[in-house]
Amino acid sequence: MTVKKLGVLGAGTMGAGIAQVGAQAGLQVTLVDIDQKFVDKALAGMKKNWEKSVAKGKLSEEAMKKYLDNIQISCSNDDLKDCDLLIEVIVENIDIKKKVFKELNEICSPDTVFASNTSGFSITEIGVASGRPEKMVGMHFFNPVPVMKLVEVIPGVETSPDTIALATETCQVIGKTPIPAKEAPGFIVNRLLVPYLNDAAHAYDEGVASVEAIDEAMKLGANMPIGPLALCDLVGIDVLLNVVEYFYKEFGDPKFRPAQALKNKVRAGHYGIKTGKGFYDYATK
């Protein structure tokens, strides 16, 4: 089976990005979220991106119109019922994901393949909760989706070869590079990246250096394009803490103990760029 109709549940930054690349690849995309303002904002963002390309002469007006025609926005999960592939891009909370997929199982066609954009949770656990574990796969995109080429493709214990093949082919159709990964907390990239970010927060807790000094040291000393604490703010400290706590629980290893700085930021509602304050204050930037 080849994907012709793509469903995307969750119209945040990543969901909008997945919808955008799907529409650009000629797929019929249905983008759904719980509030009209979220899907309206996502569509406006896509249109703005395409208008910039038109202004630069990189995209024709006709092509932009086709892209826009390829997208349907909705606030009803019922509009996802006949999708070939449905990618979930909602809050990074495994209990919420399990609940949503269980509900979607009652709505969607038995042929619909489910994918989660989770950054590290168990595809097997989500798949079992969904009621169709053989049709559940992880498709972990990276932000910003229109720019980043990687998609980690992760099967659960019961994921069928056909489901893996469909996810892999879809990545290629939308211009991404699929990299297969075994199911393990964090998969490949976040398994290596999340401890690095958590360690940077521990270093800050321990007074090793200031936020700015830690970031500048890693940029100059390790040739990182962005400092680890600035990256925490970009990722979302709330999202990062969820993943670190999940690692700590799954691995049972004290090296994954969440930094107090992450906990304190979340308790204060300082999640990073999206709230205007994290390790840095974006109101002053």
Side-chain angles (χ1 to χ4, degrees):
M1 182 175 79
T2 298
V3 171
K4 294 181 180 177
K5 187 164 185 181
L6 174 67
V8 181
L9 181 62
T13 302
M14 294 199 72
I18 294 168
Q20 178 178 325
V21 296
Q24 290 170 185
L27 303 180
Q28 293 298 309
V29 180
T30 301
L31 178 63
V32 175
D33 212 314
I34 57 174
D35 194 308
Q36 188 67 38
K37 68 183 178 185
F38 297 145
V39 289
D40 285 343
K41 181 180 178 182
L43 185 59
M46 285 181 256
K47 187 177 181 183
K48 185 178 179 181
N49 290 339
W50 291 326
E51 285 174 341
K52 286 181 180 177
S53 294
V54 170
K56 293 177 181 178
K58 296 180 179 180
L59 185 70
S60 69
E61 290 274 2
E62 183 182 1
M64 182 176 74
K65 185 178 183 302
K66 285 182 180 178
Y67 294 166
L68 288 167
D69 287 345
N70 285 341
I71 296 177
Q72 172 192 4
I73 58 174
S74 170
C75 293
S76 173
N77 287 355
D78 289 341
D79 288 325
L80 298 167
K81 62 185 178 183
D82 58 349
C83 292
D84 301 315
L85 172 66
L86 194 166
I87 304 176
E88 163 271 310
V89 202
I90 63 172
V91 62
E92 192 68 348
N93 180 302
I94 193 168
D95 292 326
I96 295 175
K97 290 180 188 293
K98 287 159 64 175
K99 180 176 180 291
V100 167
F101 273 117
K102 184 178 180 181
E103 294 168 355
L104 289 168
N105 190 45
E106 299 298 318
I107 295 170
C108 294
S109 161
D111 295 326
T112 300
V113 169
F114 287 167
S116 176
N117 182 58
T118 178
S119 59
F121 292 141
S122 169
I123 301 303
T124 298
E125 186 174 346
I126 297 170
V128 169
S130 78
R132 55 178 81 182
E134 75 287 351
K135 289 185 176 293
M136 172 63 71
V137 65
M139 292 179 70
H140 182 213
F141 290 77
F142 290 79
N143 197 30
V145 174
V147 175
M148 301 292 278
K149 289 292 187 183
L150 174 64
V151 179
E152 293 175 324
V153 177
I154 310 100
V157 169
E158 296 188 54
T159 305
S160 73
D162 286 346
T163 296
I164 299 169
L166 182 75
T168 301
E169 179 188 300
T170 302
C171 291
Q172 294 164 339
V173 166
I174 62 177
K176 302 302 175 187
T177 302
I179 298 292
K182 291 183 178 179
E183 181 174 88
F187 314 132
I188 302 169
V189 173
N190 281 337
R191 173 64 179 80
L192 301 175
L193 180 62
V194 168
Y196 163 63
L197 300 182
N198 190 43
D199 280 346
H202 275 302
Y204 171 71
D205 277 337
E206 294 160 11
V208 170
S210 69
V211 168
E212 294 80 4
I214 290 169
D215 279 357
E216 195 66 10
M218 291 308 296
K219 286 161 65 179
L220 297 178
N223 206 27
M224 296 294 188
I226 183 173
L229 299 177
L231 186 53
C232 289
D233 283 355
L234 178 62
V235 169
I237 297 172
D238 55 332
V239 173
L240 177 62
L241 181 60
N242 276 342
V243 178
V244 174
E245 288 176 336
Y246 182 71
F247 279 19
Y248 191 40
K249 174 185 172 185
E250 286 289 301
F251 287 113
D253 190 325
K255 74 179 180 181
F256 295 109
R257 175 177 55 86
Q260 192 64 44
L262 300 181
K263 295 180 182 179
N264 290 346
K265 296 291 184 188
V266 169
R267 287 166 181 161
H270 300 164
Y271 299 162
I273 291 174
K274 62 187 173 184
T275 60
K277 194 170 186 179
F279 283 101
Y280 293 89
D281 186 344
Y282 296 90
T284 63
K285 285 187 174 242

